[in-house]
Amino acid sequence: MRRALRLARRGERWVSPNPMVGAVIVKENRIIGEGYHRKFGEAHAEVNALIQAGTGAEGATIYVTLEPCCHYGKTPPCVDSLIAAKIKRVVVGTKDLNPLVSGKGISILREAGVEVTVGILEEACRSLNERFFKYITSGFPFITLKYAQTIDGRIATVTGDARFISSFPALRYAHYLRSIHDAVLVGIGTVLRDDPALTVRHIKGRNPLRVVVDTKLRISPSAQVLKEQDKAKTIIATTSYRDQNKYSILQERGIEILEVAENSSGSVDLKGLFSALGKRGVSSILVEGGSALITSLVKEQLFDRLVVIVAPKLLGTGIDALGNLEILQIEGAIKLSFLTIKRLGNDLIIDARPWPTATSGLP
């Protein structure tokens, strides 16, 4: 199963909105076939492993990180392939929470006389697909907040200069995070200040959908995020308070503008935006800033993961990573659980999750 987990991760940048899955076929204590889901729309892990095993799969055991599918999607059901290959035993890491599967694949295999064992390295197998499980059970995207800060908590100087707080290895890691999410989202302040492209350049991977939260349509038509639409599409989330003249200019250029209801302060309602994106099939979103946007999401507890890159630098007065959360007592602090803390280049990468009592982005 550990080998299957390692194989599954090879598809991480390419399979969404499908889950990552790895499979290993064993016969007489020898691996005779293995595979993983390589790309959305292509063959699943079990089928790739069966192809490699050939006729030797008869009477063998297959270890698979996720319950085999039992429905028609882009490909036929994997349970049919396993039964046809006369697999003797299926060892499943974790059940699939997709309502179209959710134990049905296991039941079909058992009814066909296949021995099934469930729950091997279950926690690791569930963690592997946390983004998929969140989306498939709620229809709401998995939200990751990411920002780089100095050790004294600043994301920019008093003049707004933020390039580059972190090291190049950390920048590569940020591009990796973009590649594994369906969309990357920033506020208009970040676009006006930094003019980012929000594409994947420093590693190999697909470009995410680019989303800009821009309540009044202040974006410049020459912004980098509006270029190369053939490589990475951009959606601008705005409200009825938008600049109508700018709206017409952007529409003429083929830029999609998504009108979202306002919140109590007249800004884009973030929960409504995430819901709308989820209905479009966006299963995960990486939020890269700026401070006002991240503060709003933390305040509303609309996030599932927090990645903070801490650089060994001091700025003193500057732009804070987080603004006022209106927390007056320590007891009211938003609690986190550290998943990993690692060094990358000269920086520290802190990967955390909301404490279980948090809403974790659920609508």
Side-chain angles (χ1 to χ4, degrees):
M1 191 62 77
R2 289 192 178 92
R3 172 61 180 166
L5 281 164
R6 288 195 295 271
L7 287 168
R9 286 206 175 274
R10 293 183 182 180
E12 186 171 35
R13 303 175 198 177
W14 311 104
V15 301
S16 183
N18 280 355
M20 291 175 276
V21 185
V24 176
I25 299 176
V26 176
K27 192 173 185 179
E28 297 176 355
N29 295 319
R30 184 172 63 90
I31 292 177
I32 62 171
E34 58 184 27
Y36 64 97
H37 185 26
R38 295 174 179 270
K39 190 175 183 179
F40 176 71
E42 295 185 359
H44 290 185
E46 300 93 320
V47 173
N48 286 328
L50 288 171
I51 290 172
Q52 191 175 102
T55 57
E58 183 175 350
T61 295
I62 184 168
Y63 294 81
V64 59
T65 56
L66 185 68
E67 176 183 3
C69 65
C70 56
H71 63 288
Y72 281 89
K74 295 286 184 179
T75 61
C78 287
V79 291
D80 292 352
S81 299
L82 294 172
I83 293 169
K86 299 182 179 179
I87 285 285
K88 180 181 179 180
R89 182 181 179 220
V90 177
V91 180
V92 176
T94 185
K95 287 184 179 180
D96 190 345
L97 299 184
N98 185 343
L100 294 175
V101 186
S102 192
K104 299 183 185 71
I106 293 169
S107 297
I108 290 171
L109 289 169
R110 285 174 172 162
E111 289 169 4
V114 179
E115 181 184 348
V116 182
T117 302
V118 183
I120 305 302
L121 296 183
E122 184 171 14
E123 185 175 345
C125 290
R126 286 179 65 89
S127 177
L128 174 73
N129 283 306
E130 62 177 344
R131 297 188 297 276
F132 168 76
F133 286 144
K134 162 69 183 298
Y135 177 67
I136 205 67
T137 56
S138 69
F140 207 70
F142 184 96
I143 309 298
T144 299
L145 305 186
K146 188 277 298 180
Y147 57 86
Q149 66 170 43
T150 59
I151 201 167
D152 54 346
R154 308 291 184 258
I155 61 171
T157 67
V158 289
T159 63
D161 182 24
R163 293 191 176 187
F164 288 96
I165 284 179
S166 56
S167 61
F168 182 71
L171 179 62
R172 282 175 53 88
Y173 179 70
H175 281 235
Y176 156 74
L177 288 175
R178 287 179 186 175
S179 74
I180 66 171
H181 288 79
D182 290 347
V184 57
L185 182 145
V186 296
I188 185 58
T190 296
V191 173
L192 294 176
R193 183 183 67 244
D194 299 335
D195 195 21
L198 300 180
T199 53
V200 175
R201 302 182 301 280
H202 297 298
I203 65 164
K204 185 178 180 180
R206 63 176 186 168
N207 286 319
L209 170 70
R210 300 177 290 187
V211 183
V212 179
V213 178
D214 187 0
T215 299
K216 297 181 180 180
L217 281 187
R218 294 189 291 148
I219 193 168
S220 168
S222 62
Q224 291 291 327
V225 76
L226 301 181
K227 298 178 180 179
E228 298 185 302
Q229 291 295 301
D230 57 326
K231 296 181 180 179
K233 185 179 177 182
T234 299
I235 291 178
I236 301 179
T238 188
T239 68
S240 57
Y241 295 124
R242 61 180 181 246
D243 180 325
Q244 194 60 38
N245 182 56
K246 187 74 67 65
Y247 177 82
S248 300
I249 293 173
L250 294 171
Q251 271 203 322
E252 289 174 3
R253 289 189 51 185
I255 304 299
E256 182 176 357
I257 300 174
L258 177 63
E259 184 175 322
V260 183
E262 303 91 19
N263 59 21
S264 58
S265 63
S267 300
V268 169
D269 180 73
L270 296 173
K271 187 181 291 187
L273 172 59
F274 293 155
S275 178
L277 291 173
K279 290 175 182 177
R280 290 171 172 238
V282 175
S283 65
S284 60
I285 301 173
L286 174 67
V287 180
E288 292 198 10
S291 178
L293 180 60
I294 292 173
T295 299
S296 294
L297 291 173
V298 171
K299 189 175 181 179
E300 296 182 51
Q301 296 187 41
L302 283 174
F303 70 102
D304 303 282
R305 181 185 182 187
L306 177 66
V307 177
V308 181
I309 300 170
V310 183
K313 299 175 182 177
L314 296 170
L315 279 179
T317 302
I319 297 177
D320 294 332
L322 285 175
N324 185 11
L325 297 178
E326 299 180 5
I327 296 172
L328 302 180
Q329 302 292 331
I330 290 295
E331 290 80 5
I334 296 172
K335 299 177 178 63
L336 302 172
S337 175
F338 288 165
L339 189 67
T340 60
I341 301 175
K342 64 181 180 181
R343 184 170 179 173
L344 188 60
N346 291 325
D347 305 318
L348 289 180
I349 309 294
I350 300 174
D351 194 343
R353 301 293 185 279
W355 196 252
T357 54
T359 57
S360 299
L362 287 172

